[in-house]
Amino acid sequence: MPENEPWEYSLHIPNDPRAVTISRRTLRLILTMHGLIRLADTAELLATELVSNAVRHTKGPAALHVRWLADMLRIGAWDADPEPPGLPCSLDQLVDSEDGRGLALVQACADLWGWQPLARHGSPGKYVWCDLAATQAPARVTPTRQEARPSATA
């Protein structure tokens, strides 16, 4: 199948933390088989954040959806919670945070992202998605430099 032919895949996942790794590895295989390995690192990061949020913040099943159309990769996660995702902070504000970086990373690394309410099989929920252009350079997220602090042993 030529690289410019459209395609899409869906992976239905249970509410299980192992689903994040399974989703990430499945996505890498899909991109490899379609000759889009150059997008894999950034796409894996984006999918990991979206699926992690779906598994961590909801109680029901979820799904990873991947679509290639017109040189654009769309990665999305459906979950059973109809509540909108929280708005991301800037990565600079999250340097010392233990969590809450997911959508900030998506916003920083994707070309576009959003969400929409979406019912599936009669169940309410939402679909959070992001787009990655074929010309996307690999993600380079560098933490902000923190000022040096004197060590306790000095």
Side-chain angles (χ1 to χ4, degrees), residues 12-57:
H12 300 271
I13 55 177
N15 190 289
D16 182 334
R18 294 173 290 194
V20 177
T21 300
I22 291 167
S23 297
R24 185 174 56 242
R25 290 183 180 172
T26 301
L27 176 61
R28 179 168 285 272
L29 179 61
I30 291 168
L31 295 176
T32 300
M33 297 306 294
H34 283 282
L36 296 168
I37 192 67
R38 68 186 181 278
L39 299 178
D41 291 339
T42 305
E44 278 185 336
L45 172 68
L46 296 169
T48 296
E49 297 306 332
L50 296 179
V51 173
S52 292
N53 283 347
V55 170
R56 184 176 182 192
H57 299 294

Side-chain angles (χ1 to χ4, degrees), residues 7-13 23 26-27 30-31 43 46-47 50-51 54 62-69 72-79 116 118 120 126-131:
W7 50 259
E8 62 185 288
Y9 294 88
S10 291
L11 177 64
H12 300 271
I13 55 177
S23 297
T26 301
L27 176 61
I30 291 168
L31 295 176
L46 296 169
L50 296 179
V51 173
L64 172 68
H65 188 79
V66 184
R67 182 180 73 195
W68 175 254
L69 181 64
M72 185 70 67
L73 182 68
R74 174 159 287 182
I75 304 164
W78 172 85
D79 66 49
Q116 63 193 57
L118 181 66
R120 184 168 219 179
K126 68 178 167 295
Y127 182 66
V128 182
W129 55 268
C130 61
D131 289 343

Side-chain angles (χ1 to χ4, degrees), residues 58-125:
T58 66
K59 291 181 174 44
L64 172 68
H65 188 79
V66 184
R67 182 180 73 195
W68 175 254
L69 181 64
D71 290 336
M72 185 70 67
L73 182 68
R74 174 159 287 182
I75 304 164
W78 172 85
D79 66 49
D81 182 3
E83 290 299 313
L87 293 177
C89 298
S90 74
L91 286 174
D92 292 342
Q93 295 173 327
L94 297 169
V95 171
D96 294 323
S97 178
E98 291 291 321
D99 57 13
R101 294 186 192 135
L103 287 179
L105 285 170
V106 170
Q107 184 174 5
C109 297
D111 293 298
L112 188 65
W113 80 277
W115 78 279
Q116 63 193 57
L118 181 66
R120 184 168 219 179
H121 306 294
S123 299

